[in-house]
Amino acid sequence: MSKRLVYFILALFLYFTGTVQQSLCQTPDFTDYRFFINPGHGGYDSDDRHMMETDFWESEGNLVKGLFLRQLMVNLKATVFMSRTTNTTADDLPLSSISSMANAANADFFLAIHSNGYNGTQNQPLMLFRGYDDQPVYPESKVIAGIIWDKVYEKGNCWTSSTKWVKGDWTFYPDWGTQGLGVLRGLTMPGVLSEGSFHDYIPEGWRLRNIDFLHHESWAFVRALTQHENVTPVTHGLIAGIVRDTMKIPSWYFKPGTRDQRLPMNDVQVTLIPGNRKYRVDNLNNGFFMFDSVAPGPYKVIFDGIENFMKDSLEVNVIGNKTTLADIWLQFDTAIVPQVLSVSPVITDSVVFNQEFTFTFSLPMNRDSVQKAIGFSPAVQMSYKWDEMSTVLKVRPSVQYLPKTNYCVNISTVACSKWKVDIASAYNFSFITKNRTRLVLKKYFPASGKTGISIYPQIRLIFDAPLNESQLTGKILLKDESGQVLNRIREIYTVKDGMGHFYFEPSAQLSLNKTYKVALDQNLADIGGNELGKTTEISFTTRSDPYLPGTLIESFDNIAAFWDPEASGSTVGTDNSLTTFTSSNLMKREGTSSGMLDYVFVNLSGGVCRTFDTRKPLIDQGDAKSFGMWVFGDLSYNALEYWFYLSGSTNYIVPVDTIDWAGWELKTIPVSAIPVNTDFNFHSIVIRQTSEGEKTGTMWFDEALISSITAIEENPKPDDYPDLRIYPNPFSKTDNICVTLKESSEISLSVVSMTGTMIESLASDVYPPGEYKFIWTPGPQVSSGIYLIRLEVRKSGFFMPVVITERCVLIR
């Protein structure tokens, strides 16, 4: 009979006999205790999670915790089993196999070790047991899950929430019914799955790179098991903490108001006195240090070895079987002379009339002294904006610089640090402003003369300078064909990179196949008084065909079933903390809300932003003729894709369009674009970054529909019309382009980018009737994205050629 069972029976006896006793007599160790450890995932496989920002692999962190926990428990005479002790593909066992191993080992308790991920903004422990919150399959598993949560929470002070998060897996995953977590499903003993912290919260991700930080969590597990099994706790304690720079803010996301809002310091020398034990903080941006096996009593922790920082120390008192937290914020040496590190942008000619300059200093500065020290010649009235730490100053003219003028800028030695130490020498630079005499409309949507525009457009006007906002209502008008001025809603005015952006929408839907005008008054002016100079009209024509009706399969009224891009898999090259999918009632087509996707790509190209719909709505291939949804475009020129599951798990990507519109559009694809004869599931919306696309954007999605109606062709193709087919699509290396000619014709076959740039000519000659296959193998200079295959066919006796285009998607 196991020791755990003996004590359980004895506890029941004492309870039912009315004996009042706080606890049973403690035992010295874990003799006869059988413990099974499952370090989650394994082998850097597809179900492993790799955080690119911190280069942290969950499988590695789980294994380090598990191996150290095994060592600690063996030292306490437990019998320990593990599902894996290495990190290879072969170690990534089926979940049912892991639970079978634990059952075969006749374990008293099962612990699965994981870390968590969601949207990069939260960090707290989560413990899961099998069953509902108030109906655990094994009541003991809920008890020990609560103890583990307490001990894991106690070991740190960088959490974003203090809410005790101990849940039954049937409650936590309601869509799964009573299936629950696979690794807990088959157990014949109590088990807990521990999500010790959130690895996608970047400050925690850096900490998880530190082996001692991982070991610290293993100590928390030991303390929990000791308490639950009534084993005599260890007599020694631990000292752990984080060294931070009180003057610097991290460049990555952190939860405001937490300790993570100050930058951790690398390579600090930490010394424990008495004992003269030393710990060198690593260079992985976590600032973490730890001393374990420390006898109870008072200690001094000394911090030094960092250039330009003063030596400092903390007095701490160690208690047995506990962690003493010893965070410190090191102070800069206040006698150091500050420096002007940089002024940006570095431009000397054709500076725009309201150019902002950013001054970066090496130390926190006395703001008033710096503003007095900065002088422009000729004199300019300036506005100033400081960052929180008083190390970065943005300077912009309150009105404007003079056109075609040479300016000299000087920072005198009056500028001093927060501690009244002057800069060592003056800093100078000069620039010449451009000869700008009028306001210029740089970009706009819709384009002048454009047809086929949505009846729900967003008008976008981008000027080369900030506008006089008081003129936006009277000098920018939207008119219909009769000249009637239309009302507007959701007017948005912002200044980005020195340019004025003005967006608005008609208050009511526009009419089909009608021409509208955006009229700009010649006296429309920027904040410096420069006027447009001439009346400008931008005309566009709405689409002629009505939108197809359909059956609703995804309303977006409740997006709880959607995963954030970071958690959806396949998402790469994004800033996880700023890339989110949330509910919005600001923009919606129907119902109560829509899904709002904010995305930020971190590279020039190659990014993929995916949001996954766990409902995976079914599409009946037999009845449906088209699938689509309402999409509020952001004019980013990135690519929109819909992803589908075929035969349950095979993924199929369908390119939809380049995002070259602003406002609501019903973006549909024919079901025939999906090569199956059976039902399939829609599962993801994807934004794929193109080389011409914007790095940031916001889009809304609403009302996904399937339709059994097909658009009627007003001019059906004649029998002798040429045919163009492309496969595979998408492709990664080579694409087959098949052309069928019904009669002898001169053809020109080429690949064109979505912006109209010629990429490659594939054919240009006269061909007799027949079928022809051309191969396109893009060179390394051709980046991932959507391209047009353009077939131009000129038949004998015809003046105008027939032009056919098809989209193809290149995925590197």
Side-chain angles (χ1 to χ4, degrees), residues 629-692:
M629 68 183 69
W630 285 96
V631 181
F632 195 100
D634 60 0
L635 204 65
S636 66
Y637 289 93
N638 290 308
L640 172 66
E641 298 173 354
Y642 298 151
W643 288 15
F644 301 88
Y645 278 142
L646 315 184
S647 303
S649 60
T650 302
N651 191 46
Y652 193 79
I653 298 172
V654 179
V656 180
D657 207 347
T658 296
I659 308 166
D660 58 359
W661 77 95
W664 285 111
E665 276 278 24
L666 181 60
K667 286 297 177 179
T668 62
I669 60 165
V671 168
S672 59
I674 304 170
V676 292
N677 295 316
T678 59
D679 298 345
F680 52 93
N681 302 84
F682 164 74
H683 69 80
S684 293
I685 302 166
V686 172
I687 308 300
R688 188 177 298 275
Q689 185 185 17
T690 64
S691 56
E692 299 88 4

Side-chain angles (χ1 to χ4, degrees), residues 336-347:
I336 294 175
V337 175
Q339 298 177 349
V340 181
L341 295 180
S342 66
V343 177
S344 63
V346 181
I347 46 177

Side-chain angles (χ1 to χ4, degrees), residues 123-353:
N123 184 41
Q124 61 190 112
L126 166 65
M127 302 300 148
L128 295 167
F129 57 85
R130 182 158 176 78
Y132 292 112
D133 284 358
D134 55 353
Q135 296 178 19
V137 172
Y138 293 97
E140 191 177 358
S141 65
K142 179 177 180 179
V143 174
I144 193 168
I147 299 172
I148 293 175
W149 190 95
D150 290 340
K151 300 305 180 184
V152 171
Y153 184 83
E154 288 171 3
K155 77 175 182 64
N157 54 16
C158 298
W159 308 113
T160 62
S161 172
S162 60
T163 300
K164 190 166 184 175
W165 215 11
V166 178
K167 305 288 291 181
D169 61 347
W170 298 353
T171 302
F172 195 75
Y173 300 104
D175 293 341
W176 298 2
T178 57
Q179 290 292 306
L181 292 166
V183 76
L184 302 180
R185 191 178 304 154
L187 294 178
T188 58
M189 81 289 297
V192 171
L193 187 146
S194 168
E195 303 276 13
S197 60
F198 278 72
H199 53 235
D200 65 338
Y201 178 66
I202 293 178
E204 184 73 2
W206 285 121
R207 290 188 283 268
L208 288 166
R209 291 288 310 280
N210 183 293
I211 291 178
D212 290 321
F213 185 81
L214 299 171
H215 288 176
H216 198 194
E217 188 170 318
S218 303
W219 276 112
F221 293 140
V222 171
R223 291 171 185 165
L225 293 170
T226 299
Q227 177 177 326
H228 182 260
E229 297 300 322
N230 207 29
V231 171
T232 302
V234 296
T235 58
H236 59 72
L238 287 83
I239 300 173
I242 296 176
V243 186
R244 301 182 189 275
D245 184 342
T246 189
M247 298 299 164
K248 292 184 180 178
I249 298 173
S251 58
W252 50 79
Y253 173 82
F254 54 84
K255 179 75 176 288
T258 65
R259 293 170 180 258
D260 289 324
Q261 66 187 2
R262 290 295 179 264
L263 185 71
M265 299 183 70
N266 294 330
D267 298 316
V268 180
Q269 178 72 55
V270 187
T271 304
L272 183 64
I273 302 295
N276 201 36
R277 292 175 61 181
K278 295 185 182 297
Y279 189 103
R280 174 66 69 173
V281 173
D282 66 27
N283 61 355
L284 295 173
N285 305 319
N286 53 67
F288 182 80
F289 70 93
M290 186 177 81
F291 297 101
D292 63 4
S293 302
V294 182
Y299 291 87
K300 176 180 285 189
V301 185
I302 301 170
F303 306 86
D304 62 4
I306 300 297
E307 185 179 2
N308 298 333
F309 280 81
M310 294 184 289
K311 185 176 180 179
D312 206 345
S313 65
L314 291 174
E315 302 286 343
V316 300
N317 188 57
V318 175
I319 300 173
N321 198 38
K322 290 186 179 296
T323 294
T324 300
L325 296 176
D327 286 4
I328 192 168
W329 284 258
L330 291 186
Q331 294 293 328
F332 208 88
D333 185 347
T334 56
I336 294 175
V337 175
Q339 298 177 349
V340 181
L341 295 180
S342 66
V343 177
S344 63
V346 181
I347 46 177
T348 59
D349 198 4
S350 299
V351 171
V352 297
F353 85 110

Side-chain angles (χ1 to χ4, degrees), residues 483-496:
Q484 180 73 30
V485 176
L486 305 183
N487 292 328
R488 308 188 299 231
I489 58 172
R490 284 190 284 270
E491 294 185 350
I492 303 170
Y493 174 72
T494 57
V495 177
K496 300 177 184 177

Side-chain angles (χ1 to χ4, degrees), residues 29 50 122 157 307 342 380 479 485 500 503 513 522 524 531 559 583 608 615 619 687 707 736 797:
D29 53 42
H50 180 217
Q122 65 189 73
N157 54 16
E307 185 179 2
S342 66
V380 183
K479 301 179 180 180
V485 176
Y503 306 162
N513 200 28
Q522 64 179 353
L524 179 67
E531 297 183 344
I559 66 164
S583 182
V608 175
R615 277 191 285 262
I619 297 174
I687 308 300
S707 176
N736 301 300

